Amino acid sequence: MQLELRGITKRFGALTANDHIDLVVAPGEIHCLLGENGAGKSTLMNVLYGLYQADEGEILLDGAVQHFDGPGDAMRSGIGMVHQHFMLIPVFTVAENVMLGHEQTSFGGRLDLDAARKRVREISDRFGFSVDPDAIVGDLPVGVQQRVEIIKALSRDARVLVFDEPTAVLTPQETDELMAIMRQLRDEGTSIVFITHKLREVREVADRITVIRLGKVVGEAAPTASNSDLAALMVGRAVELVVQKQQARPGPASLVVENLDVIDPNGLKVVNDVSFTVHEGEILAIAGVQGNGQTELTEAIMGLQPRVNGRVSLGGQVLTGLSVRRVLDAGVGFVPEDRTEDGLVAEMTIAENLMLDRSHSEPFVARGSLRLEHLDGFAEEKKKEFDIRAQSISTPAGRLSGGNQQKVVLAREMSRDLRLLIAAQPTRGIDVGSIEFVHKRMVETRDAGIPVIVVSTELDEVVALADRIAVMYRGSIVGIVPGDTPRDVLGLMMAGERPSEVAA
Amino acid sequence: MSGGTPAPATTTEQTADQPRANAILKEIVNGNVLITVLAVLLALLIGGVLIALTNEDVQTAAGYFFSRPQDTLLAVWNAVSGAYVALFQGSIYNFRRDDFLTAIRPLTDTLTYAAPLIVAGLGVGLAFRVGMFNIGGRGQMLIAAAAAGWVGFSFHLPWGIHLIVAVIAGIVGGALWAGIVGLLKARTGAHEVILTIMLNYVAFYLVAYMLRTPGLLQAPDQVNPKSPPMLETAIFPPLLGPAYKLHVGFIIVILATVFVWWLLNRSSLGFRFRAVGENPNAARVAGMDVKNIYVYAMLVSGGLLGLAGVMQVLGTVPTGFSSGIDAGIGFDAITVALLGRSKPWGIFAAGVLFGAFKAGGYAMQASQGVPVDVVTIVQSLIVLFIAAPPLVRAIFFLPDGSRRRRRTTPIVTKEVEAK
Ligand SMILES: Nc1ncnc2c1ncn2[C@@H]1O[C@H](COP(=O)(O)OP(=O)(O)OP(=O)(O)O)[C@@H](O)[C@H]1O
Ligand SMILES: [Mg+2]
């Protein structure tokens, strides 16, 4: 089905998120939307999906003008969307989720689960998904949950499929599989809109590329364009895709982790006997496929995990057993991997979020009262420094685009007096221009003599930043290797193998 | 390595479902003023219909509606306008009186009724903001009334000091009673709704028992479960002289409103209250002790409801109390907090409105024979409409203000088609 957007304009108050956007997606085409954080990509797709009503412009499917009052209308017209945050009900089975919203009932109003099961099987066979229709969605890995979303869309005969940053949460392998699925769908004639910040993926699958900046289409690019060309088109200036950094000059060991175990609520050891040190002025990257204990490891250092054995100390001060408050006070900065869940209070303003973990003492609080003038000044400064794109510092953080939300968290954590910085997926969902900026700041933090831990599932990021790399697999550290270790060796280690040339 | 595949990233187990449960609270807090005003108008309109339907003159006239319809219409007009005029006269200004000082008396009655409603509403609203439903207003008020009342009738202290001690005793009583809930929630994860409801029963029977037991709260010469009257030194003195019921407690109410406003918007504790109320996970990661915050919030909330109990026992009815002293205010407070969108000055305004309904409702019944229940229905309708903003928007053809979904307004459709 041919999708055409004509002159779509969407305003939020004074802000024009989409400014007369024209876009044509031909049948059997993967069309990539590229653009900075806050450029208006998600807004455009939400308009297409009927979640927002355009202020101007029209949506055409095969030449016919459409009116969508809600996602229901869009779905009926053959539009499917895979959101970055899945819209699945975790306690339902796959079949129940797929059926949800257009339940078929048999005689007497009984739900026809069998039909739904059959549909799930059909579709997963067609694409080689291997999804069990009776599995509970909450128990499935993220990558599989995403497939359920795709099945859901396809079961409604979606002829136009929108993927809004689908790869941000996937492992490299899952990403490859997703791209194969997208190609297969394309070959069957589905029109696909694909939004991502990862240029490698764009060049791999895109048939056409449209670049959006500040709500306007600024140009098209060929899939053969180089990374730096794409980046420049997106951001409007040349971007350094590789971090410039000097050789690290590590000082004495600062963070010492000894024999750390973390036991999850089910009694499983999710971090198993982990020991490592991080020196002052050094970046240690923790690499590994998502879900191999990295999250729990950082949470254990922060005092967020209830059941921990072993010892963590920072510059001689023991951190294990301290409350989160105390760990933060000891000078640990923490960028949690899930910013909406753990990093921000969506209803609070940008300014308030910038002081979220400093509501106890100077400089934001004096004698139990907030010092609002000080906070405002601080927030204005950070908004400029970190280039947070928002109407004002009193915009609720939940209104920001994903990347700008991430910048708020980074700005907060990186503007304290730090003795250790732990950043989990610091560039998840942010655009290349911002990645350049964040990486620069990390290296500056390191050069100021602060130990830095970067947890990342992105090999690119790991390789770009790390002075040393610890690879985690199933809760244990497979090995700690120098920053210039070849990628294929890292890949093997991420699968749990320890290549012979790697010392323990 | 001990066990199978590592679990996917799960963070805080206990608080994980909290944000979703708070969706309703958020909708209520973030709704706009226009909807509130329209909800009140709409409720009054429907109240008018009810008044007309239950009026005898209207019923008689409707019997010959087709021969003389104007009679019915006139009867409807008389019934409804009569009732609402009586409501106004009973609650704000009685223009049938000659001198201003007597005519304005209903307004002071309104404020007197509003006093406990406002502080109780503040207590419930504060808990809302921290993501908790405090349904335990009744229990907290009863315990507070018992504490303040006991100090009020049995202590002999100098003028001024006595009142202050009694007020503090009540606040502390309410705070501790609610504090139990906060503590249990924090330690065991029990849900505060269940806890507060259960503690309402406990408080009710406890106070009833004490009121039946001579030597505890029962008046010495009484057979009824009733306390002795408050000593003169423990009663809130009248604010505008003996001719009016309005008492000094109302000043405390204004101070309490300012305090809660400051606490929520300007204090560091309130900052944490709001953060925990809106996203407990992020609050925890930011180093806030979420469990302690729940306890503090319940203490403050209970203290405010306690203050409402104090208003009753030392202000509204200082002649000795029974176990009905809370007068349902603990529950009305929920309504007031909802109507006030859990914002301190919103609650203040809502409390005054409900005070006016209370004062005017009796006048309406006395002079027009309109059952006072109509007022209760109007109050309930207001809340119903506020809880269902799409309903009000639909009735008044307002555009949907929520940001996730925008319905096509006819204008936009036309524009698109014209292209
Ligand atoms: N509901 C809303 N109310 C007000 N402003 C909004 C709303 N939704 C989005 N915006 C603003 O519109 C702009 C575009 O946001 P959008 O989410 O479309 O960006 P995006 O291109 O998807 O960015 P990202 O790559 O970070 O996801 C941003 O400036 C954002 O703050
Ligand atoms: Mg987006």
Side-chain angles (χ1 to χ4, degrees), chain A residues 12 15 17 36-43 52 165 197 399 401-403:
Chain A
F12 295 109
L15 180 128
E36 292 175 283
N37 296 125
K41 305 176 297 290
S42 299
T43 305
Y52 291 142
E165 292 190 42
H197 286 293
R399 293 262 182 89
S401 73

Side-chain angles (χ1 to χ4, degrees), chain A residues 10-13 15-18 34-46 52 84 164-165 195-197 212 215 234 339 389-391 395-405 429-431, chain B residues 402-404:
Chain A
K10 176 69 195 170
R11 298 186 190 91
F12 295 109
L15 180 128
T16 309
N18 290 159
L34 274 183
E36 292 175 283
N37 296 125
K41 305 176 297 290
S42 299
T43 305
L44 185 68
M45 290 305 114
N46 286 336
Y52 291 142
Q84 184 174 345
D164 192 353
E165 292 190 42
I195 300 176
T196 182
H197 286 293
I212 299 179
M234 253 168 90
R339 55 175 169 260
R389 304 269 171 93
Q391 276 162 294
T395 307
R399 293 262 182 89
L400 299 181
S401 73
N404 283 301
Q405 293 184 354
I430 74 179
D431 65 49
Chain B
S402 75
R403 56 196 169 90
R404 245 163 292 126

Side-chain angles (χ1 to χ4, degrees), chain A residues 199-370:
Chain A
L199 301 177
R200 194 160 36 86
E201 295 167 3
V202 175
R203 288 193 300 129
E204 208 162 303
V205 292
D207 297 313
R208 278 169 66 196
I209 301 169
T210 296
V211 182
I212 299 179
R213 197 189 315 146
L214 298 172
K216 291 196 183 89
V217 173
V218 291
E220 289 212 359
T224 49
S226 71
N227 274 357
S228 47
D229 288 347
L230 287 177
L233 196 53
M234 253 168 90
V235 184
R237 62 174 168 87
V239 179
E240 281 175 23
L241 292 170
V242 184
V243 212
Q244 298 296 322
K245 59 169 186 171
Q246 309 291 316
Q247 185 66 35
R249 279 190 234 102
S254 178
L255 179 80
V256 182
V257 176
E258 290 162 289
N259 308 103
L260 194 76
D261 291 338
V262 178
I263 296 132
D264 80 354
N266 303 323
L268 295 178
K269 256 192 197 172
V270 284
V271 172
N272 189 9
D273 195 21
V274 162
S275 304
F276 62 89
T277 53
V278 190
H279 294 256
E280 285 177 7
E282 155 186 80
I283 299 180
L284 176 79
I286 299 183
V289 174
Q290 179 85 43
N292 275 287
Q294 306 97 311
T295 311
E296 290 80 2
L297 172 63
T298 53
E299 286 179 353
I301 298 174
M302 291 309 298
L304 283 160
Q305 283 285 345
R307 291 174 70 191
V308 172
N309 304 323
R311 211 176 99 108
V312 178
S313 61
L314 178 65
Q317 182 189 0
V318 178
L319 296 184
T320 13
L322 296 187
S323 66
V324 187
R325 165 91 265 123
R326 289 289 176 72
V327 175
L328 290 166
D329 286 347
V332 183
F334 180 50
V335 178
E337 67 173 45
D338 187 338
R339 55 175 169 260
T340 43
E341 193 69 10
D342 297 328
L344 292 169
V345 178
E347 292 78 4
M348 285 184 149
T349 65
I350 294 174
E352 287 175 321
N353 272 290
L354 283 172
M355 63 161 284
L356 197 65
D357 57 7
R358 286 203 268 175
S359 66
H360 288 259
S361 54
E362 294 278 342
F364 297 109
V365 175
R367 275 169 279 110
S369 280
L370 303 180

Side-chain angles (χ1 to χ4, degrees), chain A residues 248-255 276-285 420-421 442 445-447 449-454 465-469 480:
Chain A
R249 279 190 234 102
S254 178
L255 179 80
F276 62 89
T277 53
V278 190
H279 294 256
E280 285 177 7
E282 155 186 80
I283 299 180
L284 176 79
L420 168 69
L421 176 65
M442 299 262 180
T445 309
R446 175 198 81 170
D447 291 343
I450 294 163
V452 177
I453 297 179
V454 175
L465 285 176
D467 297 314
R468 286 190 301 144
I469 304 170
I480 300 180

Side-chain angles (χ1 to χ4, degrees), chain B residues 180-204:
Chain B
I180 298 174
V181 174
L183 212 60
L184 285 174
K185 183 183 168 76
R187 291 277 170 275
T188 67
H191 200 283
E192 75 278 2
V193 167
I194 296 167
L195 293 172
T196 46
I197 292 177
M198 290 307 137
L199 282 182
N200 279 349
Y201 287 111
V202 177
F204 178 79

